[in-house]
Amino acid sequence: MTTPELARRLGTRDAVVIGLAAMIGAGVFTVFAPAAAAAGSGLLLGLAIAAFVAFANASSTAQLAARYPESGGAYRYGRERLGAWPGFLAGWGFVIGKTASCAAMAMTFAAYLVPTEWQRPLAAAAVVVLAGVNLRGITRTARVAAIIVGFVVLVLLLVVSAGAGEVLQRGIPLEGLLDSGWPGILQSAGLIFFAFAGYARIATLGEEVRDPARTIPRAISIAFLVALLLYALVALVLLATLGAPALAASTAPLVDLVEAAGWPAAAPLVRVAAAAAALGALLALIAGIGRTALAMARDGELPHRLAAVHPRTRVPHVAEIVVAVVIVALVLTVELREAIGFSSFGVLGYYLVANLAALTQPAVERRVPRALSAVGAVGCLVLVVTLPPTSIVAGVAVFIVGVCWRLITAARRRR
């Protein structure tokens, strides 16, 4: 029995806000501290490297999405251009890695708002509420994402305003740019890169975008440029106001910035914005995982029941519910904040497949030079090497589990 297709209900604005919700998550409130610990003021170079690799990946993704406007993102591209195995590995890394990321993001949201003993129940409740939003239809997801993104961007602009005086007075903080050496700079690039990775969420929603060949590339470009501008401004004011040593030691850098700038009344607002940003990223992630699981289930890579589409709301409701249940179970039972390094490994694997797939496209389908896709692929490999060894080991282990799963299910289908 065939199931309904997803409905094309998203315009450019909707796709942009979902991408921004994924990119401007809680990471912008925290990522610059570990980046400063790795590279000092060299994190500015790390930001530039991360942005260039992300730009190459985004360009490849946009080019592929225009050709394959379906759910699944790099899973679909890898399967169509490179074969079943590369596609499966991209999809597996995304679904498993990002499910753990969702649980950690839910815990991050709760950590900003309530004491430790209440964090797990609040995080689980947040997952249930956001899954409910997604189940009501993709346009509801876009509306909630727009509200969250609007609030978070306004608070980030407030933070930039608080620190702008130091930048104007002292100039761009370039002193000691290379003091930590290129290994430290590359490590900071690896840390910052993952804050950009949300543009993939636009691609996973390819089956729900109107005029996808035009809308998806535009939405990816706009979301990426807005996020890059905000990240660059935040990085500059943090270094100028706090300095690299204090930034590296901070647990809440943007809160410390507004307090150091003499705007302590803004500190509670910054904390609320960080919690809201975590919710926005969680909302977009749940939607993206559900669509990737849908695509994999259609091809028999995951249980076929996950391919069900609700006849009225036209969302992959079974996949969304299963994803939400798994996330809640992780939130309530597992310590996640230090245990999801493999998610970073999976993201880079996902984009590696996307870049390799883009390299195979003929000239008539190309929107960017083939060399840019090659640079994106190399950049993913370089950034993988900069990950902590525990993250690499965990990532390899997760992919081995995926290989075993696919071999077992393939053997069962043959029988």
Side-chain angles (χ1 to χ4, degrees):
M1 187 178 78
T2 60
T3 59
E5 296 293 316
L6 302 182
R8 296 196 181 279
R9 293 172 173 167
L10 298 178
T12 301
R13 174 185 172 277
D14 301 319
V16 167
V17 297
I18 289 174
L20 284 174
M23 278 189 275
I24 307 176
V28 70
F29 292 84
T30 57
V31 73
F32 291 112
S41 60
L43 73 84
L44 293 177
L45 290 174
L47 174 63
I49 293 168
F52 183 71
V53 175
F55 171 71
N57 293 343
S59 299
S60 294
T61 301
Q63 177 177 286
L64 287 158
R67 172 64 180 82
Y68 301 103
E70 306 167 37
S71 292
Y75 162 73
R76 176 58 58 203
Y77 314 147
R79 189 177 179 91
E80 295 291 337
R81 305 297 314 178
L82 303 174
W85 269 109
F88 170 80
L89 292 174
W92 179 267
F94 182 83
V95 169
I96 301 301
K98 289 303 184 182
T99 297
S101 290
C102 282
M105 198 63 68
M107 289 296 292
T108 300
F109 155 74
Y112 277 106
L113 298 181
V114 296
T116 303
E117 61 271 19
W118 289 100
Q119 288 175 12
R120 289 184 187 273
L122 181 61
V127 173
V128 172
V129 170
L130 294 183
V133 171
N134 282 333
L135 287 172
R136 296 193 66 185
I138 192 62
T139 53
R140 296 295 179 90
T141 301
R143 287 174 197 162
V144 174
I147 294 169
I148 293 173
V149 167
F151 171 63
V152 173
V153 168
L154 286 176
V155 173
L156 289 177
L157 292 176
L158 175 69
V159 170
V160 170
S161 299
E166 292 293 333
V167 177
L168 294 174
Q169 188 175 21
R170 301 182 184 182
I172 297 175
L174 300 177
E175 188 175 346
L177 205 62
L178 299 174
D179 285 357
S180 298
W182 285 104
I185 291 170
L186 288 174
Q187 187 176 76
S188 72
L191 291 166
I192 296 170
F193 170 80
F194 304 109
F196 283 110
Y199 49 79
R201 235 59 74 238
I202 300 172
T204 60
L205 302 175
E207 197 172 316
E208 295 162 277
V209 174
R210 298 191 297 268
D211 190 10
R214 175 176 176 270
T215 299
I216 296 176
R218 286 187 64 191
I220 288 176
S221 299
I222 294 169
F224 174 78
L225 290 173
V226 171
L228 174 59
L229 177 62
L230 285 171
Y231 275 47
L233 291 173
V234 170
L236 286 173
V237 296
L238 281 170
L239 282 173
T241 305
L242 300 180
L247 174 57
S250 176
T251 57
L254 272 64
V255 172
D256 292 345
L257 184 152
V258 294
E259 290 178 344
W263 295 24
L269 189 62
V270 173
R271 292 187 185 277
V272 172
L279 282 185
L282 179 59
L283 178 71
L285 271 174
I286 294 173
I289 296 168
R291 272 65 179 179
T292 303
L294 164 75
M296 295 180 74
R298 283 172 171 171
D299 296 328
E301 302 287 13
L302 291 177
H304 184 69
R305 187 75 180 95
L306 298 178
V309 175
H310 195 280
R312 182 175 61 83
T313 60
R314 306 286 284 275
V315 299
H317 59 294
V318 175
E320 294 269 354
I321 291 169
V322 170
V323 168
V325 169
V326 173
I327 296 169
V328 169
L330 290 173
V331 163
L332 295 177
T333 60
V334 179
E335 181 54 51
L336 288 148
R337 293 177 211 179
E338 303 298 332
I340 60 165
F342 67 84
S343 178
S344 300
F345 188 96
V347 168
L348 286 167
Y350 181 88
Y351 286 119
L352 174 62
V353 170
N355 282 301
L356 293 176
L359 282 171
T360 70
Q361 288 184 272
V364 69
E365 295 179 10
R366 300 203 64 80
R367 293 167 176 252
V368 297
R370 184 175 269 109
L372 191 61
S373 299
V375 168
V378 172
C380 289
L381 292 172
V382 170
L383 293 182
V384 160
V385 176
T386 71
L387 293 175
T390 53
S391 298
I392 295 174
V393 171
V396 171
V398 167
F399 278 101
I400 289 173
V401 171
V403 169
C404 293
W405 164 270
R406 191 167 193 270
L407 291 173
I408 291 169
T409 54
R412 285 177 177 171
R413 282 199 298 268
R414 285 195 298 270
R415 288 199 297 269

